[in-house]
Amino acid sequence: MGALILSVDAITFLEEQGFPVLKSCLAKNEDEAADKAGEIGFPVTLKLSSPDVIHKTEASGIRVSLKDETAVREAFREIVGSFASDTSRRLDGVMVQEQGGGIEVIVGMLSDPQFGPVLMFGLGGIFVEAMKDVSFRLVPLGPSDAKDMLEELKGCEVLKNPRNGSVDLAAIESFLFRISTFLADRPEIREMDLNPVFVSSHGIRICDARIKIQ
């Protein structure tokens, strides 16, 4: 079966391993949410944190671009209120997170019974949901694998020539290589989804993660 690491725990785990993440913390009540948002700096995002909910968007558990304390308090009440009627699911609290920006990408890993760990990379949103535009490589990556994974994507031009600003492509390649090395050194990690990861001219930051350890 293994254990799942989700929400703030997953972000904290990855930060402790040296990966770039958005500032995140867990709030148990409305006052804590307002205080944490002030410490992080506005705007912030609020997210439902429950071990029984994997897809927060489908559970109406995300509020973004909250610009002040009033908006944070209202969003907290909405998220908790929408969850309160369902007693079959556990609620850990609400994640207060620095607002991310840039283009969304996804990085994942699964363990193939024949070949071992396999790394997946793709653009987020409709590119992965509808177009299945992703590339795969066995772990650990070779010297040119990270660049090849990026260039194999049908939507690669979105990263090379974004509508606004630019994207640090070297940071993506470095990130994929670091994730590969990390996974090769941690065979107890059986699955990992980093989704979304924001990339921009300022580098790369992990926004959300799910990690399965066995």
Side-chain angles (χ1 to χ4, degrees):
M1 289 290 290
L4 271 180
I5 306 177
L6 302 168
S7 190
V8 175
D9 291 339
I11 293 295
T12 301
F13 173 77
L14 291 167
E15 184 175 28
E16 290 173 350
Q17 308 309 311
F19 292 106
V21 302
L22 295 176
K23 296 177 185 175
S24 308
C25 53
L26 187 68
K28 296 286 189 180
N29 56 55
E30 183 180 322
D31 290 337
E32 276 191 10
D35 290 343
K36 299 295 184 184
E39 293 171 8
I40 290 173
F42 296 100
V44 297
T45 296
L46 260 58
K47 299 178 180 178
L48 175 72
S49 182
S50 166
D52 302 314
V53 176
I54 302 297
H55 302 292
K56 303 178 186 68
T57 302
E58 295 173 5
S60 298
I62 299 180
R63 302 292 187 277
V64 301
S65 303
L66 305 172
K67 297 180 179 179
D68 53 35
E69 179 180 328
T70 300
V72 167
R73 289 180 178 276
E74 182 178 349
F76 186 95
R77 291 193 294 269
E78 288 177 355
I79 292 173
V80 174
S82 66
F83 202 77
S85 59
D86 187 350
T87 57
S88 66
R89 297 182 297 180
R90 296 163 289 175
L91 179 65
D92 289 339
V94 174
M95 180 198 291
V96 184
Q97 187 173 62
E98 173 187 3
Q99 183 79 35
I103 294 177
E104 294 183 16
V105 300
I106 177 173
V107 179
M109 186 278 280
L110 55 84
S111 296
D112 183 273
Q114 182 175 359
F115 298 106
V118 179
L119 190 68
M120 181 272 287
F121 171 67
L123 291 169
I126 188 174
F127 288 94
V128 66
E129 294 171 2
M131 299 173 63
K132 311 298 182 187
D133 185 18
V134 294
S135 55
F136 296 92
R137 286 293 187 282
L138 295 178
V139 171
L141 298 185
S144 64
D145 282 338
K147 184 176 182 180
D148 292 344
M149 291 178 78
L150 195 157
E151 295 188 343
E152 283 176 10
L153 298 179
K154 299 182 182 68
C156 181
E157 285 302 313
V158 173
L159 293 171
K160 289 185 174 180
N161 298 293
R163 289 183 177 179
N164 298 305
S166 60
V167 169
D168 188 345
L169 299 179
I172 298 176
E173 294 175 23
S174 176
F175 182 74
L176 291 174
F177 199 81
R178 287 180 60 198
I179 289 287
S180 165
T181 302
F182 169 68
L183 293 172
D185 292 339
R186 301 292 294 266
E188 69 274 21
I189 296 179
R190 308 299 293 172
E191 295 178 16
M192 185 166 75
D193 287 318
L194 310 180
N195 182 27
V197 177
F198 287 107
V199 296
S200 70
S201 60
H202 303 297
I204 190 164
R205 310 280 295 281
I206 300 168
C207 175
D208 212 342
R210 181 182 67 86
I211 302 166
K212 183 176 182 180
I213 295 179
Q214 194 165 34

